[in-house]
Amino acid sequence: MLRLATAASLLALASAATAAQDCAAGKTLTEGTLTIATGNPAYFPWVIDDNPESGEGFEAAVAYALAAEMGFDAEAVTWVRSSFDQAIQPGAKDFDLNMQQFSITPEREQIVDFSAPYYTSAMAVLTTQRVVEAGATPALDSLKGLVWGADANTTAVPMLTDLIGPETQPMLYNDNVDVTAAMQAGQIDAALFDLPTALYLAAVAVPDGVLLGQFPPERTENPDQFGILMEDGSPLKDCVDSALTALKDSGRLAELEAQWLQETTGVPVIE
């Protein structure tokens, strides 16, 4: 009986592994290889030391866990680089999957495919010590009076309206580099970023950067959710979604979030 049970267990495991491999068979750019794109450079805490091959950082770790669920060994994962703007344009892609904190929006879903969400982000207010010393506090009345900046290509602009409703129109920029440069130059007082990115910017990119507070995901009608980007009509979408579901159900995705994004704790919640 014990031998029969052991044999049945091994058969079930083998069947599950075969099913995982079958779901991606013939559907990747290179047979037997999963090509995953990240940013150039890729930033902490999503990828540590701009080295996705290490599997360190939240998105790098999720990528390898996802690949394993899909039947790919770590050696069968190939990394390429792409810009954020290039990736969200229509047309053929040089990757199977792209993980760069892409917010899932109806507009983008018209030209690319997204997986189910792998992360739902709190939004954080990044400012400087100068603004805090001038009296800014993590309260809506205080935030409304600040001069805000935003990357015109992201979801930060509608979220500013939904969450804060600034008294003056936000100043729009081409990318987040321009936003942080404007903050350092004193042209704007604050900007909204997803919490892990804000942590990085405050620590590395903005001298005297301060995280004034955070809005939990449930504070918004449509919280910022990150999805894995694929070419429109990608045959891998069902396979990716099934693998993500398995990671969520097993608790592995939550474990990776706790491991790599645990520094997001301790930031004041804006009431």
Side-chain angles (χ1 to χ4, degrees), residues 190-222:
L192 272 183
F193 296 96
D194 64 84
L195 187 50
T197 297
L199 282 164
Y200 168 80
L201 293 173
V204 177
V206 179
D208 295 324
V210 175
L211 288 192
L212 192 58
Q214 64 171 307
F215 293 94
E218 60 269 18
R219 283 290 301 276
T220 60
E221 239 176 77
N222 299 297

Side-chain angles (χ1 to χ4, degrees), residues 24-220:
K27 299 174 184 177
T28 57
L29 286 175
T30 302
E31 183 62 28
T33 298
L34 187 64
T35 303
I36 305 178
T38 187
N40 188 23
Y43 293 110
F44 168 92
W46 310 105
V47 176
I48 305 300
D49 295 330
D50 192 26
N51 180 23
E53 290 84 359
S54 69
E56 297 188 339
F58 180 62
E59 287 186 336
V62 170
Y64 280 108
L66 184 77
E69 284 289 341
M70 294 171 64
F72 295 93
D73 294 333
E75 294 75 18
V77 175
T78 297
W79 290 91
V80 296
R81 304 293 183 136
S82 80
S83 75
F84 189 98
D85 290 340
Q86 282 177 325
I88 60 175
Q89 298 305 311
K93 310 298 182 188
D94 64 352
F95 52 78
D96 296 309
L97 315 176
N98 197 321
M99 299 180 70
Q100 281 190 72
Q101 310 100 64
F102 292 105
S103 297
I104 302 170
T105 68
E107 295 78 16
R108 291 174 181 171
E109 287 184 309
Q110 293 179 15
I111 52 178
V112 294
D113 276 350
F114 284 107
S115 70
Y118 63 91
Y119 179 65
T120 301
S121 177
M123 296 300 291
V125 177
L126 177 66
T127 186
T128 61
Q129 190 62 38
R130 169 188 64 82
V131 176
V132 173
E133 290 173 353
T137 64
L140 279 177
D141 287 346
S142 177
L143 298 179
K144 289 179 183 292
L146 299 180
V147 178
W148 290 83
D151 180 344
N153 302 305
T154 68
T155 55
V157 181
M159 294 192 85
L160 268 173
T161 302
D162 293 343
L163 291 170
I164 298 168
E167 294 171 359
T168 58
Q169 192 72 14
M171 299 178 69
L172 303 183
Y173 299 89
N174 291 325
D175 54 36
N176 284 335
V177 174
D178 290 342
V179 175
T180 54
M183 188 176 297
Q184 292 174 67
Q187 297 170 358
I188 61 174
D189 297 325
L192 272 183
F193 296 96
D194 64 84
L195 187 50
T197 297
L199 282 164
Y200 168 80
L201 293 173
V204 177
V206 179
D208 295 324
V210 175
L211 288 192
L212 192 58
Q214 64 171 307
F215 293 94
E218 60 269 18
R219 283 290 301 276
T220 60

Side-chain angles (χ1 to χ4, degrees), residues 13-30:
L13 289 172
S15 298
T18 301
Q21 291 168 351
D22 285 348
C23 82
K27 299 174 184 177
T28 57
L29 286 175
T30 302

